Amino acid sequence: QSALTQPASVSGSPGQSITISCTGASSDVGSYPLVSWYQQYPGKAPKLIIYEGSKRPSGVSNRFSGSKSGNTASLTISGLQAEDESDYYCCSYAGSSTLVFGGGTKVTVL
Amino acid sequence: QVQLQESGPGLVKPSETLSLICTVSGGSISSSSYYWGWIRQPPGKGLEWIGSMFYSGHTDYNPSLKSRVTISVDTSKNQFSLKLSSMTTTDTAVYYCARQKWSTRDFDSWGQGTLVTVSS
């Protein structure tokens, strides 16, 4: 069970859109729709922002959207704002009741 | 609104067993809609799923940690616990407990986390 692959960092200017990729394998991301995304500020607990690939929990901004193609899931942040500067993690169901996280992506707002 | 709170020692010696408790308030740990899980994060690094359990006692563990992990539940106290044996310095991390939706397997509520340092 290997960690999912995310870019270490992604940056964008306010108002732009950015996309964070999360690449797994046919045994995890490629086989199940159960990909979730978490936002984590320094020193704080992660917060769920996308579940089941593309669904947003109540209260999460619609600027966050999720998608999947093959073995790669993606998180898009549109209309980038200063408050979006944070770390983001993907997580996928990997079969046999196990889960695997990505290594995390630091988003910088220029 | 459910809240989770981790408790336990902040310092553990190498080779010892870590014991953490997660106390759940504002909701029942006996709900059939949720698992209850542990996740950890070494300083400056990413998240790692440790394991999850159902109130019935059914448990699922990360294969890489399975030989050292035990997760158990105390429904009378609305708590669940983590035991991680044979601790080494690489187990130094912030340990989080979290509520996990049974149907979609995501963690929708988290504790604040507790830093555990392994050092002699």
Side-chain angles (χ1 to χ4, degrees):
Chain A
Q1 190 182 54
S2 300
L4 307 177
T5 300
Q6 297 181 233
S9 63
V10 173
S11 62
S13 299
Q16 286 186 330
S17 292
I18 61 169
T19 297
I20 302 168
S21 61
C22 170
T23 301
S26 57
S27 56
D28 41 59
V29 176
S31 289
Y32 306 97
L34 304 178
V35 174
S36 52
W37 289 89
Y38 301 86
Q39 177 188 56
Q40 185 182 35
Y41 292 109
K44 300 296 186 182
K47 172 190 174 184
L48 178 68
I49 57 172
I50 294 289
Y51 69 97
E52 211 171 352
S54 60
K55 298 179 180 178
R56 282 187 308 274
S58 174
V60 172
S61 171
N62 59 9
R63 298 185 299 102
F64 294 96
S65 61
S67 63
K68 191 185 86 164
S69 178
N71 295 341
T72 299
S74 299
L75 173 72
T76 297
I77 308 175
S78 58
L80 198 63
Q81 299 180 1
E83 66 199 49
D84 300 330
E85 188 160 293
S86 183
D87 293 328
Y88 293 85
Y89 293 90
C90 61
C91 180
S92 175
Y93 182 72
S96 301
S97 297
T98 63
L99 297 170
V100 60
F101 278 95
T105 298
K106 180 177 181 62
V107 168
T108 300
V109 180
L110 301 172
Chain B
Q1 178 175 337
V2 70
Q3 292 185 312
L4 300 94
Q5 178 68 58
E6 305 88 351
S7 58
L11 181 65
V12 176
K13 290 182 168 57
S15 80
E16 291 188 340
T17 295
L18 169 68
S19 294
L20 294 176
I21 291 174
C22 182
T23 301
V24 179
S25 57
S28 174
I29 203 168
S30 299
S31 169
S32 60
S33 298
Y34 299 103
Y35 281 91
W36 304 90
W38 290 95
I39 303 99
R40 69 180 183 178
Q41 184 172 36
K45 296 188 178 181
L47 300 168
E48 179 181 33
W49 174 69
I50 299 172
S52 302
M53 56 138 282
F54 199 57
Y55 76 95
S56 63
H58 173 81
T59 52
D60 297 305
Y61 299 133
N62 186 324
S64 67
L65 297 169
K66 187 173 183 176
S67 64
R68 299 195 291 132
V69 175
T70 302
I71 297 175
S72 58
V73 62
D74 187 337
T75 54
S76 67
K77 295 182 179 179
N78 226 35
Q79 295 176 335
F80 63 106
S81 65
L82 168 70
K83 291 188 186 298
L84 184 62
S85 64
S86 304
M87 294 282 282
T88 71
T89 55
T90 59
D91 294 312
T92 293
V94 174
Y95 286 75
Y96 294 100
C97 62
R99 188 178 74 173
Q100 182 184 11
K101 288 185 281 184
W102 175 86
S103 57
T104 53
R105 306 303 176 108
D106 50 273
F107 297 99
D108 66 346
S109 292
W110 295 65
Q112 65 184 27
T114 186
L115 175 61
V116 176
T117 302
V118 183
S119 175
S120 55

